[in-house]
Amino acid sequence: MASEDVVRKTTGESAVSTIVNLAEEAKLASEGVKAPSHAFLSVCKSLVAGGVAGGVSRTAVAPLERLKILLQVQNPHSIKYSGTVQGLKYIWKTEGIRGMFKGNGTNCARIVPNSAVKFYSYEQASKSILWFYRQQTGDEEAQLSPVLRLGAGACAGIIAMSATYPMDMVRGRLTVQTEKSPRQYRGIFHALSTVLREEGFRALYKGWLPSVIGVVPYVGLNFAVYESLKDWLIKTKPFGLVEDSELSVTTRLACGAAAGTVGQTVAYPLDVIRRRMQMVGWKDAASVVAGEGKGKTPLEYTGMVDAFTKTVRHEGFGALYKGLVPNSVKVVPSIAIAFVTYEKVKDILGVEMRISD
């Protein structure tokens, strides 16, 4: 009888153990099914937040963005735009409100996916770099240094810029054309199809190399300076701050403004060269860029170095900073608004933001 009781007890425990194991397996299986959908939803939320941030920030400074490009490419023998205030007044007088926002639809069509990919890529690159850094150092509590953030930002910038570059190229052409231009691009898709038909696929990536080189310091410094300033404020607690959520909107705007100022100053000459290279091959570019001046010679650059050389030789070193003032006025609020909008939208959507978590 005693042996039978032992057998029954053992059998009962085995059955209970089997049921528990099956329940755990079912739980794990259900979690495995839910995880991908949860991860997908999180990715979508991050992309939406980045896209909204890009669209809001760029629309807010659209007139300054257009003036910057016009200053970058205008012929020195036919000066129409001599400064920020004068340039904005001239656009308003000759083209009205539509002229102030010309090219903004194309710009948003480019910047929304660009910003979405950029912010998401930065978070993923930061997590990967941080994981690798912790593995190499053996310190599980290690955090990203400014240099590592610069690398993550550079990766994000290159990925986002490359993915949306054709949109940037046609946006530049749509932005500089005026009512008097012989050829009128009617919109994004018309511009894309026209460039493809008349100049070939490679034309959509004219100026890509200086863009890649420029995006490393620009986007890299933007993220590095912004995140580092936030960390410094949190760690030093100059205003009694304890954690990231306690940083006010004003403080975050200030961090974003500082980040934008540093990044755009370093990378600006490459942006000028990129814009000029994008005009090469456009047979009506001379009328758009040179205006009615005496310098109607077509734009011809064989590459990035040639563009740098000819620009400095014919117009001086200062030409590499044409449009810097309206760009500075634009970039500071634009970057600040983008970072704050991104974080606020993610807060609303309930997406976790701390890279180190």
Side-chain angles (χ1 to χ4, degrees):
M1 291 294 292
S3 61
E4 289 180 2
D5 290 340
V6 170
V7 171
R8 288 171 182 170
K9 183 178 180 181
T10 302
T11 304
E13 290 178 349
S14 177
V16 171
S17 177
T18 301
I19 293 172
V20 170
N21 289 336
L22 288 172
E24 289 180 349
E25 289 177 4
K27 181 182 178 181
L28 290 172
S30 65
E31 289 177 349
V33 172
K34 291 179 181 178
S37 62
H38 176 74
F40 178 74
L41 183 61
S42 179
V43 170
C44 289
K45 287 180 177 180
S46 294
L47 291 173
V48 168
V52 171
V56 170
S57 64
R58 194 50 60 97
T59 300
V61 295
L64 289 164
E65 173 69 11
R66 187 183 181 213
L67 177 60
K68 179 202 75 172
I69 296 176
L70 289 169
L71 284 167
Q72 285 179 336
V73 301
Q74 76 172 341
N75 189 287
H77 301 295
S78 178
I79 301 297
K80 290 183 178 180
Y81 313 97
S82 59
T84 306
V85 176
Q86 180 276 333
L88 290 174
K89 286 183 177 178
Y90 184 86
I91 293 173
W92 178 269
K93 181 181 178 181
T94 57
E95 303 181 60
I97 187 67
R98 292 184 62 184
M100 301 292 279
F101 289 88
K102 182 170 286 186
N104 188 56
T106 310
N107 201 17
C108 286
R110 175 192 69 90
I111 204 65
V112 168
N114 178 281
S115 183
V117 173
K118 180 172 64 181
F119 277 102
Y120 179 71
S121 297
Y122 174 74
E123 290 193 350
Q124 297 307 307
S126 296
K127 290 176 182 177
S128 299
I129 290 173
L130 181 59
W131 177 85
F132 183 76
Y133 181 65
R134 287 175 173 176
Q135 292 295 312
Q136 292 296 308
T137 60
D139 182 7
E140 292 299 320
E141 300 299 322
Q143 299 299 318
L144 288 172
S145 67
V147 174
L148 293 178
R149 286 196 177 104
L150 178 64
C155 291
I158 291 172
I159 292 171
M161 183 274 299
S162 298
T164 59
Y165 192 81
M167 298 297 293
D168 182 69
M169 192 272 185
V170 299
R171 190 264 300 201
R173 294 194 176 186
L174 281 167
T175 300
V176 302
Q177 73 179 9
T178 66
E179 301 299 329
K180 296 180 180 179
S181 302
R183 166 63 63 82
Q184 290 289 319
Y185 291 127
R186 295 191 297 272
I188 304 171
F189 297 108
H190 178 249
L192 283 170
S193 62
T194 302
V195 172
L196 276 172
R197 183 176 65 255
E198 296 184 354
E199 303 173 48
F201 178 78
R202 292 183 62 182
L204 294 175
Y205 282 87
K206 283 178 177 177
W208 180 82
L209 181 58
S211 296
V212 169
I213 298 173
V215 82
V216 172
Y218 180 65
V219 179
L221 285 170
N222 280 344
F223 279 108
V225 173
Y226 181 74
E227 294 291 343
S228 296
L229 276 176
K230 285 205 310 175
D231 280 355
W232 177 79
L233 288 172
I234 294 166
K235 290 176 181 177
T236 59
K237 302 179 178 65
F239 307 110
L241 300 173
V242 179
E243 57 185 8
D244 178 73
S245 60
E246 294 186 24
L247 290 176
S248 67
V249 172
T250 303
T251 303
R252 293 182 185 184
L253 282 171
C255 292
T261 301
V262 174
Q264 66 96 28
T265 302
V266 173
Y268 194 77
L270 287 158
D271 189 54
V272 172
I273 296 303
R274 172 181 61 142
R275 289 293 170 213
R276 295 194 169 200
M277 290 181 69
Q278 286 177 349
M279 301 301 129
V280 176
W282 184 11
K283 63 183 181 181
D284 294 317
S287 63
V288 174
V289 179
E292 292 77 34
K294 60 184 179 181
K296 283 193 173 183
T297 55
L299 298 170
E300 291 295 340
Y301 301 124
T302 58
M304 183 181 70
V305 176
D306 183 55
F308 264 111
T309 303
K310 288 181 178 178
T311 298
V312 174
R313 182 192 305 149
H314 298 302
E315 302 174 54
F317 184 77
L320 296 176
Y321 285 91
K322 282 185 174 180
L324 179 61
V325 174
N327 192 60
S328 297
V329 176
K330 168 191 75 83
V331 164
V332 170
S334 178
I335 297 297
I337 292 170
F339 276 120
V340 173
T341 303
Y342 178 67
E343 294 187 347
K344 288 300 180 183
V345 172
K346 289 193 76 173
D347 284 343
I348 294 171
L349 295 176
V351 182
E352 180 59 48
M353 290 164 44
R354 296 297 295 167
I355 297 299
S356 58
D357 289 350

